[in-house]
Amino acid sequence: MTVLMLATELAKRPVVTLAGEAVAQVKDVVFDSGGGRVGAFTLSGRGLFSGPMKQALPWSGVTGLGEDAVMIRGEEVLEDRKEVVERSGPGGGDVLGARVLSDAGVELGKVTDVVIEVTREAAAVAGYQVDSTEALGHQERTVYLPLAGTLAISGEALLVPALAAEYVAEDLPGFAERVRAFRTRTTEA
């Protein structure tokens, strides 16, 4: 089963052992630089005055990622935060707020969130939540833009194929079908 969720929704989600013990909460999602997959989660302690933890949760330690919690076997799967983040490789920076440009030179909007596709085996970037421009025909509306192969990314701009604009969805539930159709079309081309 595949589930789509927003990266920002994962912040503060509890990390719970299979024995039912809440050991931390998600602070940030760390994407690996190579394939747009979730590589790890940085963690913070539970409670109002808890700060960042020195440990992180690599994706390999996750047994389940659901709407209410991130499940792990036990605390032994947590690893040194610095090592986990370094293993993910150099990133392209934070994409939130970045302009989205098509390879045809058209500004499509600004990234407001990252859409993550969660399966039993992995969690990967499926697309972006974007505050759209008039070029997408949805000016000043939040839409979802699929990802099949980002051409370039920096802290300032995200370059996507112009074809992606044809597969925009206005809601997250409808986005899953648009992503499948976009991937089918790009693999046929």
Side-chain angles (χ1 to χ4, degrees), residues 26-97:
V26 172
K27 183 176 182 308
D28 292 306
V29 179
V30 179
F31 296 97
D32 68 24
S33 61
R37 294 187 179 272
V38 172
F41 299 105
T42 61
L43 305 172
S44 59
R46 303 265 305 146
L48 186 61
F49 298 109
S50 297
M53 292 176 64
K54 292 182 180 181
Q55 295 173 305
L57 173 59
W59 179 257
S60 60
V62 174
T63 61
L65 175 57
E67 293 181 24
D68 299 313
V70 179
M71 301 302 297
I72 61 175
R73 288 183 307 281
E75 289 186 67
E76 71 277 358
V77 301
L78 303 180
E79 297 179 15
D80 180 74
R81 177 187 178 132
K82 185 176 178 182
E83 290 176 19
V84 170
V85 171
E86 285 176 1
R87 261 198 322 263
S88 293
D94 186 1
V95 298
L96 299 183

Side-chain angles (χ1 to χ4, degrees), residues 124-139:
V125 176
Y128 302 97
Q129 182 185 58
V130 175
D131 280 344
S132 65
T133 64
E134 192 174 313
L136 278 176
H138 303 272
Q139 188 172 9

Side-chain angles (χ1 to χ4, degrees), residues 1-10 13 29 31 36-39 41 59 62-71 114-127 172 175-176 179-180 183:
M1 183 170 119
T2 300
V3 176
L4 295 180
M5 57 181 63
L6 299 174
T8 56
E9 291 175 346
L10 293 172
R13 188 160 298 179
V29 179
F31 296 97
R37 294 187 179 272
V38 172
F41 299 105
W59 179 257
V62 174
T63 61
L65 175 57
E67 293 181 24
D68 299 313
V70 179
M71 301 302 297
V114 178
V115 180
I116 300 172
E117 181 177 29
V118 181
T119 65
R120 199 162 187 66
E121 299 80 33
V125 176
L172 200 53
F175 186 54
V179 169
R180 280 191 290 279
R183 288 177 180 164

